Amino acid sequence: KISLGDGDNANLYYDGTNPILYAGTHTLRIVADNIHLEAGDFGDEFLRCTHDGGVSLYFDNSQKFTTTSDGATFNGSALFPDNQRIKVGGDASTPDLQIWHDGSHSRMYHQGTGSLIIDSDSQVIFTTPTFTVNNAANSETMINAVEDGSVKLYHNHGQRLETFDLGIDIGTSA
């Protein structure tokens, strides 16, 4: 056992199976221009830290996540469990946009300044048997579109337009 510092602040030892570098409740600092954590046979890389560059994480020697000057990049996909949200803009307590799956439905929620805008240089296509747009409180339907069926438009709780197989029906009642 190699003890460093006063009163065993840090230790390097072998426990009979594994070598251990122990820093206890202190901070372990590794100082170098570049740091690589690799498998014992040098066959697989786990982590790569590059001076004035990114930090990359690997899975089975395949780079999956890297920090960049503008944020981070993913290689592959990111899986979030039900009810875990992707939050964008604003701050942690009041993000502007949230995307998640609640176990039954996929949801997108916008709160904050401005509008939720879906922009495309081509078409915006919704491929779903039913597509509904509700107000922010989810208490009022604004648009309802059903595959092989009608499209209904609403104003202030009242249906104003409905398509059917021979044309449209325009409603005027509240």
Side-chain angles (χ1 to χ4, degrees), residues 39-71:
D41 63 0
F42 299 101
D44 284 343
E45 192 158 21
F46 307 136
L47 172 79
R48 178 179 287 228
C49 306
T50 305
H51 182 246
D52 291 334
V55 174
S56 298
L57 298 174
Y58 293 78
F59 177 83
D60 196 20
N61 213 34
S62 175
Q63 187 179 47
K64 297 300 177 185
F65 178 85
T66 302
T67 61
T68 66
S69 60
D70 342 358

